[in-house]
Amino acid sequence: MSENNTHATNFHNDPRVQQAKALLREALTEHSSKLDNVAPANLSLETSYKSTLESCGQLRGGNLFFPYLGSGLGNGPFVELGDGSVKLDFITGIGVHFFGHSSPILLDSQIDAALADTIMQGNLQQNLDTEILLNKIMKLAKAQGAELEHCFLTSSGSMANDNAFKLAFQKHSPADRVIAFENCFCGRTIAMASVTDKELYRTGIPTVLNVDYIPYFDPENPEESTARSIAALKRLIQRYPNRHALMKFELLQGEGGGYKVAQADYFRELMTICRENNVAVLADEIQTFGRFSKPFAFQYYNLDDLVDLVNIGKLSQVCATLFTSNYKPKPGLISQTFTSSASQINAAITIMDTFANGDLFGPNGKIETLTNYFRTKLQDIADRVPGSLTGPFGLGDMIAFTPLDGSLDKAKALMMQLYDDGLLCFIAGGNPYRLRMLPPIPAIDESHIDLAANLIETAIKKIQSV
Ligand SMILES: Cc1ncc(COP(=O)(O)O)c(C=O)c1O
């Protein structure tokens, strides 16, 4: 044992801990490797599973969206449910389980977290790991020259947006308005529900922010829609001079847009107008972070010189607001009991290392290669099976298609048929409705995509024959 180490380092280096980790790795591999295909429920577990689902729905005050309660074991894209069934998970908790289930890549970080002195870390008392993580996030974020300097951890994507809004409001006080895209998704706190452009999500809730919407890019009409958005933005800024603190950008419109893609020039023009008028540019990367051929979507679109505030969440396991020194808050503006759990922080450190050193990004990286393969497969179905689907839409690891006639009924019917047959995906958009997927790229190969494509084609034919 070295005298230059803390007791904690000596503990983690203890041969007994190393040996225990090796044993856990071995046991996990042995058990999880049995989950190598989709499978129906185990009949002997069905009754107890059904009553657990009912109890869960009753306790939480509403049924679960899917009859899904995981057993706690998986294998990459495969996840075992409490009834023993096995699903191919291409929705990954809406983009959270990017490294798959029971990920060997993240296992050590999770064992270390279990051995840490506390479960949660907070702003008042946090561990050395936090500084390591913040450094790694910032290094990735600044790789192409963005002027981001700071990173503040928080507990959810909505809270990251809330913090970013606070920084912008304080900096541009007394500005009291925000700009967002029509159909945007911003989160579900009362403030963020005021911005999220969906009536259903704010029914009965007071509107607490003044939000002005502009139309999003239309891929069918690039020039016209760009001109329309620019004109709308200029009109708003003229109508309310110095009243807008920020504009919130989703660099690919997710939940609300059904994975609607825009162009780099489109964002550049709008962001430039914001910058010229003292309106902070917020890139909400809670869903886009880690999905394209570069770690951040703003890097993919080469918008590094224009972002003031950037939020990450979901696959990073931690949620955070990144900001330039212009937006540094006065003491007291942002804080919280929790920053993240030790488990989240440790996982995020491994994830940032994988992003920095791995083979995920770039034109020949795993994200581009596998998602292009998946898109080709979906296109094949569209070509071979008349009326089956339109698309695919989206970019990188955000993949969507419009099933059948694009109606809500048909999209839901197909999603539930796929669920029963073993593929997890989720609905998005509206007019038309789409099915979207966020596959766990580091944990899959072409064989998993072939399986997903077969399940999709079979399920579509079942719905078509009803
Ligand atoms: C673009 C975007 N912003 C914000 C959020 C809210 O994140 P959370 O659900 O973690 O609060 C989401 C979640 O889907 C999102 O996709």
Side-chain angles (χ1 to χ4, degrees):
M1 290 210 184
S2 163
E3 283 177 8
N4 297 327
N5 285 342
T6 59
H7 289 293
T9 305
N10 291 337
F11 166 53
H12 284 284
N13 291 340
D14 187 311
R16 289 169 298 180
V17 172
Q18 299 301 320
Q19 200 185 353
K21 274 190 187 174
L23 281 172
L24 284 169
R25 258 184 244 120
E26 192 182 304
L28 180 74
T29 308
E30 191 179 313
H31 290 274
S32 97
S33 64
K34 293 181 179 136
L35 305 171
D36 62 357
N37 206 342
V38 295
N42 176 342
L43 286 180
S44 66
L45 294 172
E46 260 183 341
T47 310
S48 68
Y49 185 66
K50 199 162 168 264
S51 86
T52 309
L53 280 174
E54 278 166 11
S55 158
C56 193
Q58 173 66 23
L59 289 165
R60 72 193 282 278
N63 283 339
L64 298 160
F65 188 86
F66 289 124
Y68 177 113
L69 287 170
S71 71
L73 191 73
N75 178 22
F78 295 109
V79 55
E80 181 188 52
L81 304 197
D83 61 359
S85 63
V86 182
K87 309 282 185 197
L88 180 64
D89 185 2
F90 269 29
I91 191 61
T92 55
I94 321 188
V96 180
H97 320 307
F98 181 67
F99 286 80
H101 293 267
S102 301
S103 164
I105 299 172
L106 298 179
L107 180 62
D108 277 7
S109 72
Q110 297 311 289
I111 300 170
D112 286 340
L115 299 177
D117 63 326
T118 59
I119 294 164
M120 298 301 291
Q121 301 196 25
N123 282 298
L124 192 65
Q125 290 172 262
Q126 44 200 311
N127 291 350
L128 295 165
D129 320 332
T130 298
E131 190 270 345
I132 296 172
L133 173 61
L134 300 185
N135 253 321
K136 287 180 191 287
I137 295 176
M138 291 317 296
K139 199 165 170 211
L140 268 187
K142 289 163 71 75
Q144 283 188 175
E147 285 169 13
L148 300 162
E149 292 295 342
H150 312 284
C151 177
F152 195 88
L153 296 181
T154 187
S155 52
S156 70
S158 300
M159 274 307 299
N161 273 337
D162 206 277
N163 283 340
F165 276 50
K166 280 182 171 178
L167 302 186
F169 278 127
Q170 189 174 67
K171 163 85 180 157
H172 297 297
S173 174
D176 62 346
R177 308 188 74 83
V178 303
I179 305 170
F181 287 115
E182 286 170 4
N183 297 319
C184 73
F185 187 80
C186 207
R188 290 171 178 274
T189 57
I190 294 180
M192 292 309 120
S194 296
V195 185
T196 294
D197 192 19
K198 190 155 176 172
E199 178 54 26
L200 189 67
Y201 297 170
R202 53 176 177 235
T203 304
I205 303 299
T207 300
V208 296
L209 284 174
N210 299 316
V211 189
D212 298 311
Y213 295 98
I214 68 168
Y216 197 71
F217 185 77
D218 178 2
E220 310 276 308
N221 266 319
E223 278 171 29
E224 204 183 306
S225 65
T226 302
R228 203 180 329 132
S229 299
I230 290 174
L233 178 60
K234 286 185 172 164
R235 239 186 347 261
L236 280 174
I237 291 174
Q238 222 170 27
R239 179 173 298 163
Y240 301 107
N242 302 317
R243 295 273 302 280
H244 293 105
L246 75 125
M247 173 157 178
K248 183 207 113 103
F249 287 83
E250 243 172 294
L251 297 177
L252 184 151
Q253 213 171 30
E255 143 113 30
Y259 288 2
K260 220 184 244 179
V261 180
Q263 291 169 354
D265 284 353
Y266 174 78
F267 293 125
R268 176 158 288 280
E269 293 203 46
L270 294 175
M271 288 180 175
T272 304
I273 297 170
C274 287
R275 279 291 194 90
E276 285 166 358
N277 289 278
N278 240 0
V279 177
V281 171
L282 162 61
D284 175 351
E285 297 235 20
I286 287 156
Q287 200 164 150
T288 50
F289 178 61
R291 300 281 167 198
F292 305 159
S293 58
K294 295 197 176 155
F296 288 84
F298 76 78
Q299 294 173 330
Y300 173 81
Y301 285 118
N302 289 314
L303 301 166
D304 306 65
D305 54 325
L306 290 169
V307 289
D308 296 302
L309 303 149
V310 177
N311 287 331
I312 59 169
K314 292 187 184 272
L315 68 66
S316 45
Q317 307 303 309
V318 294
C319 295
T321 301
L322 284 58
F323 50 101
T324 63
S325 32
N326 275 340
Y327 286 87
K328 229 173 140 178
K330 293 185 180 138
L333 186 72
I334 53 173
S335 187
Q336 255 182 294
T337 302
F338 296 149
T339 48
S340 293
S341 67
S343 144
Q344 289 173 278
I345 291 170
N346 278 4
I349 289 174
T350 308
I351 290 166
M352 297 310 143
D353 283 342
T354 312
F355 279 13
N357 308 324
D359 57 356
L360 281 171
F361 300 106
N364 303 315
K366 208 171 172 194
I367 293 178
E368 278 296 284
T369 314
L370 284 182
T371 58
N372 284 341
Y373 181 73
F374 195 13
R375 286 195 165 79
T376 313
K377 286 282 179 180
L378 290 171
Q379 190 61 58
D380 277 356
I381 299 174
D383 294 344
R384 263 185 301 103
V385 187
S388 57
L389 65 88
T390 6
F393 304 99
L395 195 66
D397 193 32
M398 298 177 78
I399 302 170
F401 62 87
T402 305
L404 305 144
D405 61 4
S407 65
L408 179 60
D409 282 356
K410 285 284 190 316
K412 267 194 178 161
L414 181 63
M415 178 181 65
M416 292 319 295
Q417 184 66 56
L418 283 167
Y419 183 89
D420 290 343
D421 293 351
L423 179 69
L424 301 182
C425 60
F426 198 45
I427 215 151
N431 194 27
Y433 283 89
R434 289 179 177 165
L435 290 189
R436 61 170 151 161
M437 289 164 281
L438 297 146
I441 295 297
I444 63 172
D445 58 35
E446 288 183 358
S447 71
H448 301 115
I449 292 172
D450 291 341
L451 177 58
N454 280 338
L455 289 167
I456 291 169
E457 182 168 344
T458 310
I460 286 176
K461 286 179 178 161
K462 282 186 197 167
I463 302 289
Q464 279 180 324
S465 69
V466 175

